[in-house]
Every structure is written in C-alpha cells, then in structure tokens.
Amino acid sequence: MVLPRFLKRTPLHVAVIVIVALWSLPTTGLLISSFRPQNDVVTSGWWTVVEHPFEGSNWTIKNYSRVLESDGLWRALANSVVVTLPATIIPITIAAFAAYAFAWMKFPGRRMLFGGVVMLLVVPIQMTLVPLLRMYSGLNLSGTYVGTWLAHATFGLPLAVYLLYNYISSLPSEIMESAYLDGASHYDIFRRLVLPLSAPALASFAIFQFLWVWNDLLVSLVFLGTDSEVATLTATLNELVGSKGEKWHILTAGAFVSMAVPVGVFLGMQRFFVRGMLAGSVKG
Amino acid sequence: MVTRTNDSEPNIVRRVALPVAVLAGLVGLARLSLRLVKEPEGPGDVLASVYDLVGQGASADAIRDRGLQTIPSVALTILTALILGIIGIWYLFWALNALVDALPQRVRESVRPYVYLLPAVSLLGFFLVFPAVWTVWLSFTEDRGWRNYLDAFQEADSRRALVNNVIWLIVATAGSVSIGLVIAQLFDRIKREALAKTFIFLPLAISMVGASVIWRFVYWWKPPGTGQIGVVNAVITKFDAEPVAVFQTVPINTLALIAIMIWLQTGFAMVILSAAIKGVPTEHLEAARLDGASELQVFTRVILPSIRPSIITVTTTIAVAVLKVFDIVYVLTGGKFQTDVIANRMYKEMFIFSNKGRASSLAVLLFLMVVPVMVLNLRSARRQEAMR
C-alpha cells in the first residue's frame, strides 16, 4: 500500500523540486561563477563545472580579494554599515517613543496627529527628493552620513510608528496602570516595561528597516553619492556594472559581497521577519 | 521603580544643567561627525585635536604630518557614527525627558506627550511633509508650469514611461500574486514545507541592484557561435536558434525586467497567502470534500473566498512596490530601448537634464498612482484587524 501512495505524490514532489530549482538557479549560477577563474567565467557556462567539480584549477578565491581590495568593496562595506546601523536604530527609537505617547498618554490632538502620521505612508520618497536635495545643500548635509540617516529615518518613520503603535497599544493596560500607581514615571514605564514587552515588534521592524536601508539604491545615490569615500555597497556595485560590465568574475563576486550580510541576517532572523510581514507592512 | 525626590532649588539647577549639557554635547558631536565626512583630512584632524587635548603634542603632529592611514580613519568614522547615531538618540530622549521633569508639576504631564512626539513629528514635518508640498509647488511653477503635466502625457519618452508603469503594474503584480498563491498551495502539502519555502523567500533579502546583476548574468548575450555563458541564451542556442540580446529587443526587454521583480516579490506573496490558507478552518475543507467536491473545487470555492482579504493586502502591497520600481531599470537599461518607468524618468529629469519642474510633476503623478492603492491596502489591513 505504501507504493501507490508514494507514486500518487510523485508529481507533487517533482513540481516542488522544479519550482525550487528554478528559483535558486540564478543565484546558484552567480555563486559558482564568483569562485571560477577569470578566463573560465567568460568562456564557458557556469553549469559546465559539474563535469569536473573537484579539479582544483577550476576554483579560485582571487575574485573576492580583487573586488574587496582593488575595487574598494571593503570601504563600501564599511560605508554600508555606517549608513545602516544608525538609520535602523534612530527611527525605531523615535517611533517607539511616539507610539507609546499615541497609545498610552492622553493629550489633545492625539487622534488627528496619529491619523496624519499614518496618512504619510502613502507619500513616495520621490515626492521629497528635489526639495530635500536643495535643503541639504543649504544645510551642508548633502554627501554626509548624517543627512542620509535623517532621510532614511524619516522615510521609515510612518511604517515604524504604525506597526509599533499596533503592538504597544495592545499590551495589557493593567500592567501600565499598576506601575503608574506605584509611582513609576512614563519614562520608567516605557523603558522598563514597554520596550522589553515590545521586543518582538521592535525586532521585526528592525529587520525590515535594516534590509531596506542596506539594499536601498535611490536614497544613497541622491543623498550620499558615488564618491568612494562614502558610497554604499549598492551604489558601488552599480558603478561596477557601468565600468566593468563584461568582467563577470568581478561582478559576480561583487554582487555576492553585497548580498552576504542581508542574506545572513535574513536567514538568522527569518522568524521575526515573517511575523513582521504578517503584521502588515508597506513602505512609502 | 524610581521614587521622586522633592523639588528643592539647587536640585532644579542640577537637573536642568545636566540635560542641557547633554544636548549641547550631542549638537557638538553631530558637527564633529559632519566634519569627519566633509573633509578628506577630517578624521586625522579630529584625532590630532584629541591628542592635543590630552597633552600628546608629538603624536598630534605626527598625524598632521603624515595623515591617517585609511583603516584607522575609517574605524574612527564608524565609531563616531555609531556613537552619535545609536547612543546619541537615547541621550536625546533622556535629556528631553529630564528637562520636562524640571518643569513645574502642574504643566509637566501635559507637556510630556508632545516632547515624546517632538522628534518624530519634526522629522516628518521637516523631511517629508514640507518637501512634498514644495514638490507640488515646483511642479506647477518651474519649467513649463502646469503644462509640465501636459508634457508628461504628450512627450514620447515620458508617455512611454507611463505606459510601461501600467504594464509593470499589471504583469508584475498579477505574476507575483498568482505564482505565490500556486506555490503556497502546492508547498502546503509537502513535509519539508519550511525548507522549500526558504528558497522562494530568499530573494526578498537581496537588493534590487544585486538581483539585477544576478539576472544580467542569466540574460547575458554573446555573439552566435562563441559559447553562451548566460542560461537563457544557452538554452535558446541549444535549440539551434539565434541568441537574443534581451535588453535591446523591444517587447522582450520590459518583460525580462518584470520577471526579475516577480522573482523578488513572489516570496512575499507566498508567505502571506500560505499563512492565510493554513487559517482556513479544516471543517470547511472536510465538509466540501464530503459533499464530493474535487480538490480544484475545494480550492476555488472554499479556500479562495476565505483568503480574499489576504489576497487584497498582498496585491496592494506588491502593487505599490511595483509602481515605485527604480533600481532594476536604472541598473540594467537606464530606461533605454523603451524600457523607462516613471521613477527612473524622474531621476533622469532631475539629475541629468536638471528639469526640476518636470521631475516634480512626474513625482506627483507617481504619488497620485500610489494613493488609491495604498488606501485600499490600509483599509483592508484595518478590516482584518477588526476581525481578529
């Protein structure tokens, strides 16, 4: 009886394997090519490695040392870290305070202000670029990390406030009230109760914002530029496509360097990511 | 929990002075970090001044003479950035809160909420609302005034971009959602579901620039007879056909770019729809099967109607991302060969042609396209919340 059931499910399994293979094929090709010698990459398809997979001369890590050192990807990696970490932490902190105020403090104009913040979710970044760039050159902020953090922080804020409000406002009110009656201030309640209890929501927004900022090209092109002193990985990779478009040993390794961190973070924290996505997330 | 001390006079001075000092320190740090990136010698200069301060004149001179090696200079920049960006933001709130505590008891609690909202509201106002209003103004006043909008529809290049955006909207959205739905339904029946899903899901972590490079390699064209290294043309030439220059061939190129977006977004659709499918009560499925419904009928008559809200959420979310697509087109074709989209057109008008008014009018058009989709999205999100 085992065999018929197994046979009946075979088409399903074949379909699943085909889909998974199809989806992974592009990335696999890139990964394999990035470890092949310069000449091999441009003369034969990456799939030909299956003929002699264990031959040492078919593999090299030179491409990586090349892109990291001579093509400046170490610096770009550092720049991406400098841009991404504050651009993730700043909006979360600011949004958490705002969400707490909206959820647990009473003040005139509360509903209107909150509605206004949520409404800003519909504004695309493009709506701000021309004037922001003008303001930035007046304020000496263009081409600086600080200017880029502020832009990223602002663009992430509406979603952050919205998501964190949904979570923080659903925390049980008894805990807050008893802490308040015990003489705890709002600041203490926020720091000692609300923040730890909201850890899952904070983590999922943090991952979103992290991936968003790390993978962004538009904001970093406009506000930071392509000067190698400050350019992020995405901007640098885009430059490589322009200047070394046919040197596939460089491009494949470069693309992989730019993907390594977000893919690692993503695989490590998939649980929070999925939870955040299910909580609803769209970005302006 | 902390107990409050009473408001005696010297105490107030201390409680005001410390937060003010912290705020001043933060402003100083911000200016310092501006200097770090503005001038190439910045990090070295700053480190030299620090050495001077602690009385190490010799080390300071050494740095001024030879300049900093790249690695310490980068490390210093990173360190300042992290201190300012991460710890600084906490001290900002701490200082603001401490200043509120120094106010007279009566007004304290009515001021505090606004202080907690101040950073969020001022950032949004200054960097989002004000520039957005300014953009609308620019679109009507610079270049050809309100005729910028006329041009957007009449001029061939930007009309092409508008048409392409609609093609993207329909094909990329429908493609991601329907493939995501099929995959969610198929994978629901296998044992190693989580593992299989990870493969579909993974592109979500990849930047559009990275994805563009990945797919540029897949679509890569070499002259006939030279041995293709791109998968697509290798397959085509296997069937004795001529290799296709994907990015230059007109209807194919836009579809090839759209395929990249589908590859990126399907994982998102799959995760949300898969969770929704699992939420359909088993009794409903069993009841339908007992009534003699085929698996296909169970899917179309029971599962589809009950996951409708999730389908709306997924569709609208992906639609917004698709409407704003920029990176893929910018990296791969730059909008040439009739592949332009609004976001890329806007970027070009702004940075290459310096047409601020036309760029602004394209931004406003993009905004007008996004608004109805976002309203649908937010409304369906709220309805789902009410059901919970």
Side-chain angles (χ1 to χ4, degrees):
Chain A
M1 281 311 279
V2 175
L3 197 63
R5 187 181 140 72
F6 174 76
L7 279 181
K8 215 177 117 196
R9 287 175 65 82
T10 302
L12 173 68
H13 284 138
V14 169
V16 169
I17 290 169
V18 167
I19 293 173
V20 167
L22 209 63
W23 234 258
S24 327
L25 194 78
T27 322
T28 313
L30 190 88
L31 182 62
I32 290 177
S33 299
S34 72
F35 286 108
R36 297 180 73 205
Q38 173 173 4
N39 240 347
D40 294 10
V41 181
V42 287
T43 51
S44 62
W46 55 266
W47 50 90
T48 56
V49 292
V50 296
E51 291 162 18
H52 310 283
F54 300 113
E55 202 152 309
S57 65
N58 280 346
W59 305 101
T60 176
I61 53 164
K62 253 202 206 135
N63 303 337
Y64 283 92
S65 52
R66 163 80 210 267
V67 285
L68 286 170
E69 275 146 34
S70 13
D71 291 308
L73 251 55
W74 272 131
R75 183 66 214 248
L77 192 71
N79 289 335
S80 276
V81 172
V82 176
V83 168
T84 307
L85 287 181
T88 305
I89 306 288
I90 293 173
I92 292 184
T93 314
I94 291 181
F97 271 99
Y100 175 78
F102 281 132
W104 295 105
M105 296 167 107
K106 299 236 165 347
F107 57 93
R110 186 173 72 145
R111 290 181 69 93
M112 219 186 65
L113 264 176
F114 181 67
V117 172
V118 173
M119 253 167 51
L120 290 178
L121 273 170
V122 306
V123 180
I125 290 174
Q126 277 83 0
M127 281 294 278
T128 65
L129 294 184
V130 179
L132 259 191
L133 209 59
R134 251 187 224 187
M135 288 158 62
Y136 270 28
S137 50
L139 293 166
N140 268 335
L141 277 176
S142 55
T144 66
Y145 294 128
V146 176
T148 314
W149 299 338
L150 291 176
H152 273 308
T154 309
F155 300 146
L157 261 182
L159 179 64
V161 174
Y162 180 63
L163 286 182
L164 293 181
Y165 172 84
N166 285 345
Y167 196 90
I168 291 176
S169 66
S170 68
L171 295 174
S173 58
E174 299 86 43
I175 306 180
M176 315 281 167
E177 274 153 20
S178 67
Y180 200 72
L181 289 179
D182 283 347
S185 68
H186 275 299
Y187 189 75
D188 293 328
I189 295 177
F190 176 74
R191 230 186 43 164
R192 307 246 165 95
L193 280 176
V194 172
L195 275 193
L197 286 174
S198 317
L202 295 171
S204 41
F205 178 76
I207 296 170
F208 274 125
Q209 181 75 1
F210 176 85
L211 288 177
W212 203 86
V213 173
W214 187 279
N215 288 338
D216 152 83
L217 175 69
L218 183 60
V219 173
S220 97
L221 271 185
V222 172
F223 296 115
L224 211 49
T226 50
D227 190 11
S228 67
E229 292 269 296
V230 285
T232 57
L233 269 175
T234 46
T236 311
L237 185 59
N238 174 55
E239 291 284 295
L240 282 181
V241 172
S243 61
K244 311 222 157 100
E246 309 209 349
K247 301 198 166 151
W248 280 109
H249 64 294
I250 291 178
L251 284 184
T252 51
F256 239 85
V257 170
S258 83
M259 285 157 49
V261 173
V263 167
V265 167
F266 174 83
L267 288 179
M269 309 191 73
Q270 217 182 77
R271 198 161 45 99
F272 292 108
F273 188 80
V274 171
R275 198 183 295 164
M277 257 175 19
L278 293 174
S281 44
V282 267
K283 171 146 180 175
Chain B
M1 294 295 163
V2 175
T3 47
R4 296 233 185 82
T5 48
N6 44 353
D7 306 343
S8 56
E9 283 304 318
N11 213 352
I12 284 184
V13 175
R14 205 185 308 149
R15 275 163 49 188
V16 176
L18 188 58
V20 168
V22 167
L23 283 178
L26 285 174
V27 172
L29 211 57
R31 299 186 57 142
L32 188 93
S33 84
L34 277 184
R35 216 173 109 202
L36 280 182
V37 278
K38 275 253 100 94
E39 302 147 26
E41 305 295 305
D45 273 356
V46 171
L47 199 62
S49 340
V50 173
Y51 274 127
D52 269 340
L53 266 181
V54 295
Q56 300 272 329
S59 315
D61 290 340
I63 291 174
R64 288 208 179 90
D65 286 348
R66 280 180 279 129
L68 265 190
Q69 299 295 311
T70 327
I71 291 175
S73 126
V74 173
L76 189 66
T77 312
I78 294 181
L79 204 69
T80 322
L82 296 186
I83 292 174
L84 181 72
I86 297 172
I87 306 173
I89 192 73
W90 264 101
Y91 277 98
L92 175 73
F93 276 104
W94 177 85
L96 286 176
N97 188 67
L99 281 179
V100 173
D101 281 338
L103 288 173
Q105 189 116 44
R106 285 169 293 115
V107 290
R108 236 180 251 169
E109 294 313 315
S110 48
V111 171
R112 202 186 303 273
Y114 298 105
V115 171
Y116 282 12
L117 289 173
L118 185 72
V121 170
S122 43
L123 270 187
L124 288 171
F126 194 69
F127 291 97
L128 196 64
V129 178
F130 174 61
V133 174
W134 195 350
T135 294
V136 176
W137 170 257
L138 285 176
S139 77
F140 283 106
T141 52
E142 293 215 356
D143 297 334
R144 304 215 314 132
W146 65 271
R147 287 191 187 81
N148 288 328
Y149 289 94
L150 229 65
D151 292 348
F153 290 99
Q154 286 177 345
E155 196 243 351
D157 284 342
S158 71
R159 192 169 56 198
R160 184 76 235 175
L162 284 167
V163 170
N164 280 343
N165 247 48
V166 174
I167 296 174
W168 272 82
L169 177 66
I170 295 167
V171 181
T173 312
S176 319
V177 176
S178 52
I179 298 175
L181 184 60
V182 169
I183 291 180
Q185 179 66 16
L186 271 182
F187 285 17
D188 195 37
R189 301 148 183 235
I190 62 168
K191 252 192 220 143
R192 303 197 163 235
E193 187 188 356
L195 179 69
K197 274 167 147 179
T198 305
F199 285 99
I200 311 298
F201 198 41
L202 199 64
L204 273 182
I206 298 175
S207 66
M208 291 208 200
V209 183
S212 299
V213 173
I214 291 177
W215 282 82
R216 193 168 175 270
F217 194 46
V218 171
Y219 294 142
W220 192 242
W221 175 91
K222 281 176 73 184
T226 51
Q228 298 295 329
I229 58 168
V231 176
V232 167
N233 276 322
V235 172
I236 291 176
T237 46
K238 259 266 156 4
F239 291 104
D240 286 330
E242 289 280 293
V244 179
V246 176
F247 297 124
Q248 284 86 352
T249 314
V250 166
I252 296 172
N253 49 13
T254 293
L255 293 176
L257 298 183
I258 289 176
I260 304 174
M261 193 67 171
I262 295 179
W263 181 71
L264 284 171
Q265 297 286 337
T266 297
F268 170 73
M270 176 198 72
V271 168
I272 308 273
L273 296 176
S274 168
I277 289 174
K278 289 188 201 313
V280 179
T282 337
E283 306 89 72
H284 294 186
L285 303 179
E286 296 298 321
R289 286 193 187 113
L290 278 179
D291 287 346
S294 69
E295 279 307 299
L296 188 68
Q297 282 172 323
V298 171
F299 182 67
T300 53
R301 307 244 173 103
V302 184
I303 296 180
L304 269 189
S306 47
I307 62 169
R308 220 188 79 135
S310 300
I311 293 182
I312 296 177
T313 312
V314 168
T315 309
T316 48
T317 307
I318 293 179
V320 171
V322 170
L323 277 175
K324 292 192 286 198
V325 69
F326 163 75
D327 312 26
I328 296 177
V329 176
Y330 180 80
V331 175
L332 289 178
T333 64
K336 280 181 288 211
F337 311 109
Q338 304 185 27
T339 55
D340 225 347
V341 290
I342 298 181
N344 187 59
R345 188 82 215 149
M346 189 241 160
Y347 186 88
K348 270 200 240 169
E349 292 284 5
M350 177 172 149
F351 286 103
I352 299 174
F353 311 128
S354 274
N355 293 329
K356 301 279 154 67
R358 297 186 81 174
S360 300
S361 68
L362 288 173
V364 174
L365 285 176
L366 188 63
F367 171 64
L368 292 177
M369 290 171 89
V370 168
V371 168
V373 186
M374 273 304 291
V375 168
L376 262 178
N377 180 288
L378 285 173
R379 206 188 280 166
S380 91
R382 200 177 325 143
R383 210 174 299 141
Q384 266 171 295
E385 227 140 73
M387 273 165 34
R388 245 179 247 158

